[in-house]
Amino acid sequence: MTPIRLAANQYGKAENRVVRVTRDTDRHDLVDLNVTSQLRGDFDAAFLEGDNAHVVATDTQKNTIFAFAREPIGSPEEFLVSLADHFTSEFAWVSGGRWAAEEYGWSRIGDHDHSFYRSAPETRTAVVVRDGDATTLISGFHGLTVMKTTQSGFVGYPRDRYTTLPETEDRILATDVSTRWRYAADAVEGLDFDATYDSIKATIMETFTKGYSKALQQTLHDMAAAVIEAHDVVDEIKFSCPNKHHFLSDLSPFGLDNPGVVFYAADRPYGLIEATFQREGTPTKDAAWVGIAGFC
Ligand SMILES: O=c1[nH]c(=O)c2[nH]c(=O)[nH]c2[nH]1
């Protein structure tokens, strides 16, 4: 038999859908999470010999997530850190792991005390990577669709025999913002993750509105620069953004002009612009990004 060696491994329970209702008064609140727990450590015997003595069952990991939700969840980041603390302290051979969550936003219907609708357009994300004493937190969101109807263009690109795209200095710029940012290791103690999330999201949206965009690439840079400038706690931010093309519809067969009024919103193919921006002079943490799909 060809000799093989066990390399990277992790295991756990994926996508635990936890809904936590706070009902201390008649005015309820809810937190809606999709939580994944994966343990890393000394699990060689399980893979190599079928010895499960170290295997904290994925079922136990699931139960722990729901049991921990009996207490107030706080932010997704705090909830994940509490799981990381638990598993690494409870089991000597668990040296680290990866805990991830998506959060779905709900708002009150009117100002109703206990009726809600799914409201946030974006899905909030959080990942905690624990490796021995080191903890890395990566937060973000995906699915925030934004559009500006002018103050965007695309000119000056090379033309070859396959280039047909006309240059334009006035186009629609639209994208679904997917982003993840990494917190500086020394910044997370006591951080208000909910307020920081709201502030980063607001910074991204406000920057999108500002000025003239020469390309989606430049817009990603400007959004990253604004986030890193305004948030000392962020050392790195990644974006993955489709260019949701809006082509001017040709109305001339109908004897009509079209001065930037009627567009065809193409759903595919789409440009896909991805970039990573890091604060100058800070260490990179590439290992923490392993397993986060959809970014470069
Ligand atoms: O903002 C843009 N960036 C591109 O790289 C590109 N390529 C393209 O065809 N249109 C655009 N727009």
Side-chain angles (χ1 to χ4, degrees):
M1 214 170 75
T2 310
I4 62 164
R5 172 166 62 80
L6 177 65
N9 63 88
Q10 61 182 0
Y11 80 100
K13 194 70 96 187
E15 303 211 42
N16 298 276
R17 292 284 288 105
V18 186
V19 177
R20 207 274 179 189
V21 179
T22 299
R23 51 193 309 151
D24 304 340
T25 69
D26 285 344
R27 191 167 174 84
H28 294 183
D29 279 299
L30 72 86
V31 177
D32 184 355
L33 296 180
N34 189 22
V35 181
T36 293
S37 168
Q38 290 175 295
L39 306 184
R40 298 173 183 169
D42 177 11
F43 299 105
D44 290 14
F47 286 96
L48 303 178
E49 295 155 30
D51 175 353
N52 293 332
H54 277 184
V55 182
V56 182
T58 69
D59 193 65
T60 304
Q61 294 181 52
K62 174 203 70 186
N63 290 344
T64 307
I65 291 166
F66 283 90
F68 272 42
R70 181 65 182 83
E71 293 298 315
I73 282 186
S75 65
E77 290 83 358
E78 288 165 303
F79 187 66
L80 299 180
V81 167
S82 71
L83 291 169
D85 289 345
H86 167 77
F87 286 112
T88 54
S89 59
E90 182 90 347
F91 306 102
W93 57 91
V94 178
S95 56
R98 187 178 187 281
W99 291 270
E102 295 190 315
E103 183 178 16
Y104 313 111
W106 292 82
S107 296
R108 294 181 191 285
I109 299 177
D111 192 36
H112 200 269
D113 280 346
H114 58 256
S115 299
F116 303 84
Y117 67 101
R118 271 281 289 276
S119 55
E122 85 280 13
T123 301
R124 177 173 168 178
T125 61
V127 177
V128 170
V129 178
R130 175 72 56 85
D131 182 9
D133 291 337
T135 302
T136 308
L137 268 82
I138 295 171
S139 300
F141 60 78
H142 56 81
L144 185 73
T145 304
V146 291
M147 176 189 292
K148 61 199 280 184
T149 50
T150 188
Q151 288 293 299
S152 160
F154 187 62
V155 301
Y157 46 87
R159 306 202 76 87
D160 72 358
R161 62 190 178 286
Y162 301 119
T163 306
T164 58
L165 184 73
E167 295 196 336
T168 176
E169 291 185 324
D170 188 8
R171 65 173 184 174
I172 285 178
L173 184 64
T175 187
D176 305 321
V177 180
S178 283
T179 180
R180 304 251 192 178
W181 56 88
R182 178 173 56 77
Y183 289 106
D186 58 3
V188 294
E189 187 74 36
L191 186 67
D192 183 339
F193 289 102
D194 289 346
T196 308
Y197 177 87
D198 289 342
S199 174
I200 290 175
K201 180 182 154 191
T203 302
I204 287 170
M205 288 203 289
E206 192 193 327
T207 308
F208 181 80
T209 68
K210 276 190 184 159
Y212 180 87
S213 168
K214 292 182 170 176
L216 186 51
Q217 285 89 330
Q218 184 193 33
T219 299
L220 297 197
H221 168 270
D222 292 352
M223 295 192 300
V227 167
I228 288 181
E229 167 83 26
H231 302 87
D232 289 351
V233 292
V234 174
D235 270 0
E236 182 174 19
I237 185 164
K238 292 177 185 265
F239 286 97
S240 175
C241 293
N243 189 355
K244 294 166 75 83
H245 303 302
H246 288 69
F247 298 114
L248 203 60
S249 178
D250 179 8
L251 302 180
S252 62
F254 322 119
L256 297 171
D257 67 352
N258 188 1
V261 175
V262 181
F263 294 85
Y264 164 63
D267 77 331
R268 63 191 71 174
Y270 49 89
L272 183 59
I273 316 297
E274 302 184 328
T276 300
F277 301 92
Q278 296 165 340
R279 184 184 297 278
E280 286 285 9
T282 59
T284 56
K285 290 274 164 59
D286 291 345
W289 290 98
V290 171
I292 296 183
F295 293 88
C296 68

